[in-house]
Structure formats: structure tokens, C-alpha cells
Amino acid sequence: YVAALAIHGTSHPRRRRLFLILSLGANLAVLGYFKYSNFALDTLRALLGGAGLDIPQLDIVLPAGISFYTFKEMSYTLDVYRGQLRPTRDPLLFAAYVSFFPQLVAGPIQRADDLIPQLAVAQPFRLEQVTSGLGLIVIGLFKKLCLADRLTPFVYPKFLNPPGFDGFELFLSLVAMPMALYLDFGAYTDIARGSGRMLGIEIIRNFDFPFTSRNPGELWQRWHITLTAWMRDYVFVALPGRPVLSLLVPAALLGLWHGAHWKFVLWGIGNGLALGAYVLWRIHGPSASVRHRQRPLRILGT
């Protein structure tokens, strides 16, 4: 809040950059300490395993939703720095934007230029918004309780112990697990959107039928849309170099954002490589008109 006002209040490039760095540094330091301290210590412990050093495990309680509201704060300051947003002088309005409770735990990551104007005006009671919001909440609860929570106990044990199951069961789990994840996360988004709508606040969609995507690029425009857009606008565009190589950094960060473990980093890099391969195929493969005419190729892409 203070950094954005300071950035907006001066035209001196150095001072503006200093206030931006202080704000981003503070946010990343808080996020890094709470979410990634033990990840860093575990990595260090593995690297220095033979040195006989006793590296303790920190007893840290992770604040709910910290990844979401730190990203909202950083995008706010960056948008002010870029001249795309005028900062609010109302500290309560800023606090409401950062901690708007329907989005706090599972997003979506809604930008300040969209959410703050809605929070700044009085929202009259509208029965149709309440009923529509309740409908979204019911749909979300159905996805979560009746579908996702029934699928997960079926598929998750097979990932923990693959040798204990036959190939057909493992194949079913491989297909069902993404569906369970989508239904679980999509349910939270529906509940968040429904809760916001009951209060007169329209929350952005975070999923758009992701499993109908025909390529990796389209998938990440349909799955966790707000996070992908955040990475594109604040990380990818700032990276120099070739497009394929610059995909790996935001992809790895996207993985690390999901969880403090190397498996998440590798998952992110895997997605970055898939996106890079698709970009190369777009450049060197068949033209767009040929791809659109070839129905088998489109089905295979999906």
C-alpha cells in the first residue's frame, strides 16, 4: 500500500525502482520464509548429507492463502509502477482487495484494476445475484463432495504404490487423477465465484473446459487461467532470450508455486518443455490452415 503510493508520488526513475524492489522483496521474503524455508533446508541437507552437519527442521505454520495474496500484492505494485493502475488511498479498500475472503484460500488471482472498482462502490441487494451465487455454490459442492472426493480415494493409492496394481488399474488412475484434480480445484472456484456474486462482486473464471484443449498452449489458457496470465504478464514478458527457453523459468516457478518440493519443480519444467515443443512445432510444423483442415490431427492434439 505504502510502496504503491510512493511510486505514484514520484517521477524519479531510481526512486520508483527502489520502492518497487522494496515492496517485491518484502512480499517474496514473507512468502519464502513461510512456504519455502524447509524446502531450502531439505535441499541443503541432501547436498551436505555427508558433511555431518545437523540442519534443523523449522516448525513453521503456513498461513492460509499466502501464495494468492502475495501475488495479488505484487501485481498491484507492478501495475502502479507500469502506469497501468492508479493506487487507492483508502487502506481499508486495499486490505479488502488483498484479503477478499472468497478468493483467499484457492483464488482466482483477480487483478486490482478489476476487483478494487467493484469493492469501492456500494453493492445493492439483488435477489437474482443471491440465487445465481447460491447455484454456483451448490454446483461447486457437488463437484467437490460427490465427484472429486469419491474419485480421489480410488486413484490416489495407486500413485502411492504402483506395483500393487495391474496395468489397467494404473491406466484408469492416470486418466482419472487429472479429472479429480480439476473437479476439486474447479469446485473451489465455483464456490468462490458464488460467494462473491452473492455480495455483488463478480469474480473472474479460472477454468474454461480445459480438457477440450487441442495443444499445451491452449491448455494453459483454460486451466488456472489467472495464474497463467500472472506468470505471462509479470515473469515471461520480463525475460530476454528465445521464447522456448524463456518458457522454462515461469514454468518452473509455476510448479514451485504449487508446492515446496522438487517434484513440483520437475512437473513445472515438464510443462515448460511441452509448451516449448509445441512452439517449435508451430514454427516448423504444418501451417495453421493445414492443421485446421486435418481433423485427425486436431483429435490427436486433444
Side-chain angles (χ1 to χ4, degrees), residues 27-137:
N27 273 290
L28 290 172
V30 171
L31 180 63
Y33 171 74
F34 281 103
K35 191 170 182 178
Y36 299 108
S37 291
N38 282 318
F39 168 66
L41 292 174
D42 289 341
T43 304
L44 189 63
R45 200 178 292 113
L47 291 173
L48 303 176
L53 296 175
D54 184 23
I55 302 174
Q57 191 83 358
L58 299 179
D59 186 18
I60 299 174
V61 178
L62 185 66
I66 189 170
S67 298
F68 287 96
Y69 57 74
T70 49
F71 270 37
K72 285 173 76 175
E73 289 182 344
M74 287 192 287
S75 66
Y76 173 81
T77 319
L78 282 161
D79 286 348
V80 172
Y81 178 79
R82 293 173 174 179
Q84 297 171 349
L85 179 71
R86 189 179 183 88
T88 177
R89 294 188 173 275
D90 185 344
L92 289 178
L93 182 59
F94 175 76
Y97 154 70
V98 173
S99 61
F100 187 53
F101 76 89
Q103 301 177 312
L104 192 60
V105 177
I109 308 170
Q110 196 148 350
R111 307 282 178 88
D113 61 349
D114 186 26
L115 187 55
I116 286 180
Q118 295 188 72
L119 294 169
V121 297
Q123 299 291 347
F125 176 83
R126 293 190 179 95
L127 183 60
E128 64 272 19
Q129 285 185 327
V130 175
T131 54
S132 174
L134 279 172
L136 275 173
I137 291 173

Side-chain angles (χ1 to χ4, degrees), residues 154-298:
F154 167 74
V155 299
Y156 197 60
K158 298 172 180 61
F159 280 84
L160 297 177
N161 181 31
F165 302 90
D166 62 38
F168 181 68
E169 289 175 308
L170 295 178
F171 173 75
L172 285 179
S173 298
L174 196 65
V175 173
M177 193 63 178
M179 295 297 297
L181 289 170
Y182 165 64
L183 289 166
D184 191 271
F185 197 3
Y188 284 121
T189 302
D190 289 337
I191 294 167
R193 293 184 67 221
S195 302
R197 187 172 292 175
M198 289 175 70
L199 300 170
I201 306 298
E202 198 60 37
I203 294 175
I204 193 170
R205 290 180 67 180
N206 213 18
F207 295 92
D208 183 20
F209 301 99
F211 296 131
T212 64
S213 305
R214 289 169 294 182
N215 56 68
E218 189 178 339
L219 173 68
W220 282 103
Q221 292 172 359
R222 292 171 173 267
W223 177 286
H224 208 336
I225 297 167
T226 56
L227 177 61
T228 308
W230 200 100
M231 286 290 178
R232 179 198 66 207
D233 294 343
Y234 302 111
V235 179
F236 177 76
V237 296
L239 292 172
R242 296 180 177 273
V244 174
L245 293 176
S246 58
L247 282 169
L248 292 178
V249 174
L253 291 174
L254 187 144
L256 190 61
W257 184 89
H258 277 85
H261 198 285
W262 281 108
K263 63 184 178 183
F264 287 105
V265 179
L266 293 173
W267 171 80
I269 291 173
N271 276 284
L273 291 172
L275 284 167
Y278 171 67
V279 169
L280 289 174
W281 184 74
R282 283 286 299 267
I283 295 171
H284 302 291
S287 65
S289 59
V290 172
R291 289 199 306 272
H292 286 304
R293 285 201 306 270
Q294 294 179 347
R295 185 172 176 81
L297 197 62
R298 290 159 60 190

